[in-house]
Amino acid sequence: MTSRKGNLMGVRDDVKVLDATIRDGGLCNNFDFTDEFVTELYKTNIRSGVDYMEFGYKASRSMFSEKDYGKWKFCKEEDIRAIVGDNISDMKISVMADVGRCDFRADFLPKEESVIDMVRVACYIHQMPAAIEMVEYLHDLGYETCCNIMGVSQASMNQVEEALGMLTDTPVDVIYLSDTFGSMYPESASELAELYLSFAEKAGKKVGFHGHNNQSLAFANTIDTLSRGVSYLDATVQGMGRGAGNCPMELLLGFLKNPKYNLYSLLVFIEKYMLPLREKVRWGYELPYMFTGQLNCHPRDAIAFMEEQRKDYCEFYKSLLDN
């Protein structure tokens, strides 16, 4: 491995923190957040010095019924503006669009007509040509763009290198290493981060990290990839996210030494809004998510296990071993 970039006591000006609470956390409650919750989180993120706030998905309204989900599954322009107005702040607004699950040509306005600043294109490695088409289209509309490559822990190194080579020939601004299954350890996450950086830095692009907490390693993986040169860091308040959740924002802001980040404002929000929410919605480390993380497989079976309120952990573990 190469030497670490900076040190634990220093400040790196290239670091950007992205709050994905509404987007990844929305997978826990069908995106059913009150306007008050989202508005207060928006204000909290500004006070806390967060660089980007991701409001949710731009999902296809022809594929997904609006009556089955909260508004942040679709992130209509008018819904975001109802929260942020013209967003007269230094914090930027982000949304995510899944390859094959969005109508990107119909649902995105030109950037000058939108309050959205950045679009993150999410894809699996076999969807790279479609992701590149989206990146190029959204870049031409004027947006900052990211590509979040999901499931790379199941891909071969040749596939990862081919995908990175394809992306560096596009106008994408940030390439995200995503620990989709929560299967990575700091050593493996950092090795992949250095591979991403070796491609991205030559092309003048940044690298981000998005962790899942199946093995209680999302924070450790985030700061270890940061130390290797990754600069865009995803986190969610109290780790709220699909299944085992994500890197907790309070851990990340408490770790970063840049005085622009303010932990106290976030604690006020947690006390008033997150603690009541945790009484209604369940997320975070649980044995079934540990199993899927250790076995490097998608957490969908673990999520179903939890929703059925099953307790036969041994039988579930054996069923995963049989797959």
Side-chain angles (χ1 to χ4, degrees):
M1 285 190 177
T2 58
S3 62
R4 296 182 186 271
K5 185 173 181 180
N7 59 66
L8 296 183
M9 295 302 296
V11 171
R12 274 180 36 207
D13 293 334
D14 61 317
V15 170
K16 306 294 181 186
V17 173
L18 183 144
D19 170 49
T21 305
I22 302 301
R23 199 274 305 168
D24 213 321
L27 296 167
C28 301
N29 69 345
N30 245 17
F31 304 91
D32 186 22
F33 296 100
T34 65
D35 285 356
E36 179 186 354
F37 182 98
V38 178
T39 299
E40 290 305 314
L41 179 58
Y42 168 71
K43 294 176 181 177
T44 296
N45 280 329
I46 292 172
R47 295 187 196 107
S48 300
V50 168
D51 300 284
Y52 291 83
M53 178 174 172
E54 190 163 66
F55 271 72
Y57 287 96
K58 273 279 193 182
S60 168
R61 282 170 275 162
S62 61
M63 293 178 68
F64 302 97
S65 172
E66 290 186 71
K67 70 181 188 326
D68 294 334
Y69 299 91
K71 64 182 73 172
W72 308 113
K73 176 79 169 178
F74 307 99
C75 284
K76 295 179 184 176
E77 186 74 23
E78 59 266 30
D79 290 333
I80 299 178
R81 285 188 180 274
I83 304 295
V84 310
D86 290 329
N87 185 32
I88 306 173
S89 78
D90 293 332
M91 185 177 71
K92 295 183 177 182
I93 304 301
S94 169
V95 296
M96 180 169 279
D98 276 339
V99 167
R101 296 184 178 187
C102 65
D103 300 316
F104 65 95
R105 293 188 184 277
D107 287 345
F108 282 96
L109 299 169
K111 170 63 191 94
E112 61 265 22
E113 300 173 25
S114 176
V115 74
I116 296 168
D117 297 290
M118 181 169 73
V119 183
R120 304 209 295 174
V121 175
C123 67
Y124 285 98
I125 207 155
H126 66 276
Q127 298 171 315
M128 194 54 59
I132 289 172
E133 179 187 27
M134 287 178 62
V135 164
E136 291 175 341
Y137 179 82
L138 293 163
H139 170 81
D140 289 345
L141 286 182
Y143 294 100
E144 296 177 36
T145 58
C146 301
C147 185
N148 291 40
I149 313 174
M150 300 183 291
V152 291
S153 58
Q154 290 186 344
S156 71
M157 198 56 66
N158 284 342
Q159 288 175 313
V160 175
E161 290 178 355
E162 286 179 16
L164 293 173
M166 293 168 72
L167 277 174
T168 53
D169 286 336
T170 76
V172 74
D173 297 294
V174 188
I175 304 172
Y176 258 86
L177 168 59
S178 298
D179 184 11
T180 307
F181 306 142
S183 62
M184 294 181 188
Y185 298 94
E187 294 85 355
S188 54
S190 290
E191 286 176 4
L192 279 168
E194 291 191 345
L195 176 64
Y196 277 53
L197 287 161
S198 70
F199 279 85
E201 288 176 343
K202 292 175 185 175
K205 304 180 187 306
K206 300 295 186 181
V207 174
F209 182 77
H210 178 86
H212 277 271
N213 214 28
N214 297 60
Q215 301 186 84
S216 296
L217 289 171
F219 175 58
N221 288 337
T222 298
I223 62 173
D224 210 61
T225 56
L226 164 68
S227 77
R228 302 295 174 184
V230 166
S231 50
Y232 279 64
L233 309 174
D234 282 17
T236 61
V237 183
Q238 293 240 282
M240 186 184 186
R242 184 206 65 201
N246 306 101
C247 173
M249 180 66 77
E250 56 273 19
L251 282 176
L252 185 59
L253 294 190
F255 169 80
L256 293 171
K257 301 304 183 288
N258 192 328
K260 70 171 283 191
Y261 298 120
N262 183 321
L263 179 60
Y264 187 80
S265 297
L266 183 63
L267 297 179
V268 173
F269 179 83
I270 289 172
E271 192 171 305
K272 187 172 181 180
Y273 291 98
M274 293 305 294
L275 298 185
L277 183 62
R278 293 211 76 148
E279 294 178 1
K280 303 174 184 177
V281 182
R282 191 174 182 181
W283 72 86
Y285 171 81
E286 300 273 4
L287 281 174
Y289 301 131
M290 181 194 80
F291 299 156
T292 58
Q294 288 181 341
L295 296 172
N296 192 24
C297 58
H298 198 285
R300 61 175 66 89
D301 290 335
I303 292 170
F305 180 97
M306 296 295 295
E307 289 176 347
E308 294 166 10
Q309 298 184 342
R310 290 170 56 186
K311 302 295 183 186
D312 54 331
Y313 298 111
C314 294
E315 287 302 315
F316 178 62
Y317 183 60
K318 286 191 292 184
S319 72
L320 292 174
L321 292 175
D322 289 338
N323 287 341

